Amino acid sequence: MYFSKIVSSGSCVPDMVVSNNDLAEIVDTNDEWISSRSGIKRRHFSEGENTSDIASAVAEKIIKRAGIDPLDIELLIVATVSADYTTPSTACLVQARIGASNAVAFDIGAACSGFIFGMSIADKYIKSGVYKNAIVIGAEVLSKYLNFKDRTTCVLFGDGAAGVLIERTEDNTGILAEDIGSDGTKAMALTGGFSPAANSFNTTNAAAERSLYMDGRAVFDFATRQAPKSVKRLVEKAGCSLEELDFVLPHQANSRIVEVISRKLKIPMDKFYMNMDEYGNTSSASIPIALNEMFEKGLIKTGSVGVLTGFGAGFTWGSMLIRF
Ligand code: COA
């Protein structure tokens, strides 16, 4: 039986740092409101780099760290909701940049659960014996979708990318269980990049709407209901207990959401890794950015058991139990 094990990681965020005070200069907000409501203090915004640029930088770091030949990469998945183009996929742009000519490359979109969905797909290819390895990247330049006149959304999001290389192993380690799902009935609670179906033979009154829209309360309620349930289902599927987890790495949307998840699961806050103070919510990039940071800080030891859990637009959710 095959398992998928993480063997390398990398991340890349734009150099430009925008503090809460910087935002307060262009929109009616303040550091106290943003910090207390979300735990966010800064975020990185693109100075011109697009999603494929930061995703390519991530892929280069992952490859360098792993010491592998790009030609040996068999699968390349980019999870994103802010691709450079509708087509070609970001993954194809990355493939060309890094010279991974033998890889199958495609994007997937599951918003803030995107990295978990991407890992889930890669895991199936590896478990079934189709591919021996895969790079999975979450990459977003969300700033291009933010309306900097809407204080209820523009203060919460940031840009960034990160990812991992996973390889086939026969040891009982790596991705051991997953719980993923969606609820399209709540799709309109968090939207962005709407393009109406207009053409030369059809006029429509619907206006294109690029900017991100969010019903914050609805998203908060969904996340705090679904994420704890998903993690409980996950540990049950894995045949272990919540007490056995060394850490939980939640999607970095909002520290108040994480506090509720911690309370509902009765897992102490010090087991939850958080870095949204530095990056804000980077959607599909948030979990791998935090995971890469944990690796770099030496917080993940061989044998550690951790849960990654994401939730977001769609609605979508996804949790994964990994033995490192
Ligand atoms: N700065 C200052 N005041 C702000 C503000 C900002 N950036 N954004 C909203 N406000 C104001 C509102 O206008 C409102 O003022 P009013 O009472 O005079 O009308 C007040 O703050 C309270 O707004 P409300 O929306 O009730 O705040 P909240 O406590 O529900 O918090 C969120 C708002 C967005 C932080 C919260 O709903 C949330 O965390 N939602 C989940 C968001 C998320 O994580 N999304 C991504 C998941 S993938």
Side-chain angles (χ1 to χ4, degrees), residues 152-153 156 189 213-222 254 257:
T152 66
T153 52
L156 299 174
Y213 159 81
M214 182 175 68
D215 176 347
R217 285 275 167 89
V219 175
F220 192 97
D221 289 349
F222 150 72
N254 184 310
I257 291 178

Side-chain angles (χ1 to χ4, degrees), residues 165-187:
L165 171 69
I166 56 178
E167 277 182 3
R168 183 160 95 189
T169 175
E170 291 185 34
D171 300 338
N172 184 14
T173 189
I175 300 170
L176 298 186
E178 67 170 37
D179 177 77
I180 66 172
S182 350
D183 176 6
T185 65
K186 307 290 184 324

Side-chain angles (χ1 to χ4, degrees), residues 119-141:
M119 289 282 277
S120 169
I121 295 166
D123 182 46
K124 303 301 170 296
Y125 276 113
I126 288 176
K127 277 210 166 80
S128 61
V130 175
Y131 298 126
K132 287 192 292 298
N133 65 34
I135 286 183
V136 182
I137 294 172
E140 306 287 2
V141 175

Side-chain angles (χ1 to χ4, degrees), residues 283-305:
S283 194
S284 59
S286 98
I287 291 176
I289 288 175
L291 185 63
N292 180 65
E293 202 171 278
M294 289 185 77
F295 281 128
E296 287 182 349
K297 288 183 176 170
L299 297 174
I300 301 179
K301 310 265 180 269
T302 303
S304 293
V305 176

Side-chain angles (χ1 to χ4, degrees), residues 3 8 50 95 98 101 104 110 122 172 185-186 191 193 201 283 312 321:
F3 294 90
S8 178
N50 214 330
Q95 176 191 25
I98 64 170
S101 318
V104 172
N172 184 14
T185 65
K186 307 290 184 324
T191 61
F201 302 93
S283 194
L321 189 134

Side-chain angles (χ1 to χ4, degrees), residues 23-310:
L23 276 175
E25 286 179 22
I26 61 163
V27 65
D28 181 15
T29 189
N30 56 74
D31 176 48
E32 199 283 318
W33 193 97
I34 304 171
S35 310
S36 65
R37 294 298 210 289
S38 70
I40 296 164
K41 293 187 182 305
R42 289 168 294 278
R43 72 284 294 142
H44 295 243
F45 280 153
S46 166
E47 288 176 282
E49 318 83 318
N50 214 330
T51 305
S52 69
D53 298 317
I54 54 177
S56 298
V58 166
E60 279 161 7
K61 284 183 188 173
I62 292 170
I63 288 166
K64 193 166 171 213
R65 232 177 226 175
I68 59 160
D69 186 333
L71 294 173
D72 290 335
I73 297 163
E74 299 188 345
L75 178 63
L76 173 54
I77 298 176
V78 176
T80 184
V81 289
S82 53
D84 302 19
Y85 298 91
T86 301
T87 190
S89 68
T90 311
C92 282
L93 297 174
V94 173
Q95 176 191 25
R97 289 268 279 272
I98 64 170
S101 318
N102 297 318
V104 172
F106 57 88
D107 287 1
I108 63 127
C112 305
S113 314
F115 180 72
I116 302 293
F117 277 45
M119 289 282 277
S120 169
I121 295 166
D123 182 46
K124 303 301 170 296
Y125 276 113
I126 288 176
K127 277 210 166 80
S128 61
V130 175
Y131 298 126
K132 287 192 292 298
N133 65 34
I135 286 183
V136 182
I137 294 172
E140 306 287 2
V141 175
L142 295 174
S143 56
K144 61 191 178 187
Y145 287 108
L146 294 178
N147 172 1
F148 286 95
K149 292 191 171 76
D150 176 8
R151 66 179 183 173
T152 66
T153 52
C154 73
V155 303
L156 299 174
F157 296 92
D159 300 336
V164 297
L165 171 69
I166 56 178
E167 277 182 3
R168 183 160 95 189
T169 175
E170 291 185 34
D171 300 338
N172 184 14
T173 189
I175 300 170
L176 298 186
E178 67 170 37
D179 177 77
I180 66 172
S182 350
D183 176 6
T185 65
K186 307 290 184 324
M188 291 301 116
L190 184 42
T191 61
F194 174 65
S195 45
N199 60 49
S200 297
F201 302 93
N202 162 44
T203 49
T204 166
N205 290 328
E209 180 53 74
R210 263 174 71 83
S211 300
L212 210 129
Y213 159 81
M214 182 175 68
D215 176 347
R217 285 275 167 89
V219 175
F220 192 97
D221 289 349
F222 150 72
T224 52
R225 256 185 303 108
Q226 195 53 254
K229 283 187 197 161
S230 175
V231 173
K232 279 183 189 162
R233 283 192 297 264
L234 177 74
V235 293
E236 207 176 298
K237 284 180 197 172
C240 69
S241 68
L242 292 167
E243 291 74 35
E244 287 172 71
L245 303 179
D246 293 304
F247 68 89
V248 180
L249 198 177
H251 167 47
Q252 305 291 307
N254 184 310
S255 55
R256 290 194 311 162
I257 291 178
V258 178
E259 281 158 17
V260 178
I261 297 173
S262 153
R263 216 168 45 239
K264 286 194 171 174
L265 289 174
K266 299 189 179 65
I267 297 177
M269 274 303 279
D270 61 10
K271 284 203 173 179
F272 285 77
Y273 190 77
M274 293 202 288
N275 67 1
M276 73 278 284
D277 58 331
E278 177 62 31
Y279 303 105
N281 178 348
T282 55
S283 194
S284 59
S286 98
I287 291 176
I289 288 175
L291 185 63
N292 180 65
E293 202 171 278
M294 289 185 77
F295 281 128
E296 287 182 349
K297 288 183 176 170
L299 297 174
I300 301 179
K301 310 265 180 269
T302 303
S304 293
V305 176
V307 160
L308 317 183
T309 185

